[in-house]
Amino acid sequence: AKRDVTKISGFSVTDFGNNNTEMVKKISANTAQVKRMLEQVRRTGAQDALCRELQNSIIETLEQTLKVHDTQMELLRLTMEGEKYADPIIPPLRQIKDRWNTLKEFSLYNLYQECDRQKFTYGSDDEFLAWLVMKSDEKIDQIIKADQDPVITRDALVPSLCYDLLVENAQLRKMTNVYQLRVLLLHK
C-alpha cells in the first residue's frame, strides 16, 4: 500500500469552475486507487497491538480521503448539471454503506475453509472454534473500530442512529459467528 501512495497525484487547489470532465476523471482514478489501498490494508494481518492501531489509523485516513473525494465528485456533478443545492449528507452516508457492505462481504465460512485448506491443526475442535471466533471478531472489530471516536469519525449531519445500526449489525454478526462455527464443526 505504501508503494502505491507515490502514484497518486496531489490536488493543492481544486477549481470547480473549469474543465469539470477532466477533474471527474482524475478524482475517479484516485478514488479507485484509494479503494484498492483500503481493501489491501484491511486484508493485511496485524501482528501485534501497535501494528493493529497503526492499521486502524491508516484505514481511518483512507476512509476520510474517500469521503473528501465523494464530496468533490458531488460538487462537480452538481456544477455540471447546473444545480444550486448540494446535499452534504450523501458522502458520509456512502461511507456508512461501504462499511456495511464490508461487513456483509466478510465470510466466516471462507475463513473456515481457508484454515481447512491450509491444514491448521489444533488440540481439539473447541480450541479451533475459539481461534476462529477470535479471528472473526478481530476482523469485524477492525471494520467498526474506525467509528470508535465519534468526534473525529462521525459526521455531524448524519443521525447517530445510522452509526449505531452499523455497530449493532457488527455485534450481531459476532454473536452469530459462534453459532455458525459450532454448526460447521458439527457437520464436518
Side-chain angles (χ1 to χ4, degrees):
K2 187 176 180 181
R3 285 173 262 144
D4 294 337
V5 172
T6 58
K7 298 176 188 171
I8 298 175
S9 60
F11 290 94
S12 57
V13 177
T14 304
D15 181 12
F16 291 109
N18 299 329
N19 201 359
N20 290 339
T21 308
E22 186 64 30
M23 293 295 290
V24 168
K25 289 179 185 176
K26 286 180 183 179
I27 294 172
S28 295
N30 284 351
T31 299
Q33 193 166 16
V34 171
K35 283 183 179 180
R36 283 192 303 272
M37 288 172 47
L38 180 61
E39 288 306 313
Q40 185 178 6
V41 170
R42 280 190 174 140
R43 281 192 310 265
T44 304
Q47 302 302 323
D48 57 14
L50 183 62
C51 289
R52 192 173 310 110
E53 288 302 317
L54 178 61
Q55 185 179 29
N56 289 335
S57 296
I58 292 170
I59 288 170
E60 186 177 315
T61 302
L62 291 173
E63 285 180 342
Q64 295 305 318
T65 301
L66 287 173
K67 194 179 346 179
V68 168
H69 286 177
D70 278 347
T71 303
Q72 289 175 336
M73 290 292 285
E74 189 68 18
L75 288 172
L76 285 170
R77 184 186 64 80
L78 292 173
T79 57
M80 287 169 55
E81 293 175 0
E83 300 267 340
K84 298 286 184 194
Y85 175 73
D87 192 0
I89 201 168
I90 290 175
L93 286 177
R94 282 188 190 132
Q95 185 181 44
I96 292 171
K97 182 181 175 223
D98 288 344
R99 287 186 191 165
W100 190 280
N101 288 338
T102 303
L103 273 174
K104 271 185 10 185
E105 290 170 5
F106 174 70
S107 171
L108 186 60
Y109 184 68
N110 288 342
L111 180 64
Y112 174 78
Q113 284 185 326
E114 181 181 326
C115 292
D116 206 28
R117 270 184 270 132
Q118 294 179 1
K119 304 288 186 214
F120 283 136
T121 55
Y122 286 89
S124 68
D125 283 347
D126 288 336
E127 289 177 12
F128 183 56
L129 174 69
W131 183 83
L132 280 174
V133 168
M134 180 188 72
K135 285 298 181 186
S136 64
D137 286 354
E138 283 178 6
K139 190 69 173 170
I140 291 171
D141 285 340
Q142 180 186 20
I143 294 168
I144 61 169
K145 178 94 171 169
D147 195 42
Q148 189 176 17
D149 189 1
V151 174
I152 295 173
T153 59
R154 290 188 177 188
D155 196 284
L157 299 175
V158 176
S160 65
L161 175 66
C162 296
Y163 293 104
D164 294 341
L165 287 173
L166 179 69
V167 172
E168 286 290 323
N169 181 26
Q171 290 171 345
L172 286 172
R173 284 185 172 275
K174 286 168 53 173
M175 284 187 259
T176 58
N177 281 347
V178 175
Y179 176 75
Q180 185 180 7
L181 284 171
R182 288 194 190 279
V183 171
L184 280 173
L185 289 175
L186 284 175
H187 291 289
K188 183 177 178 185

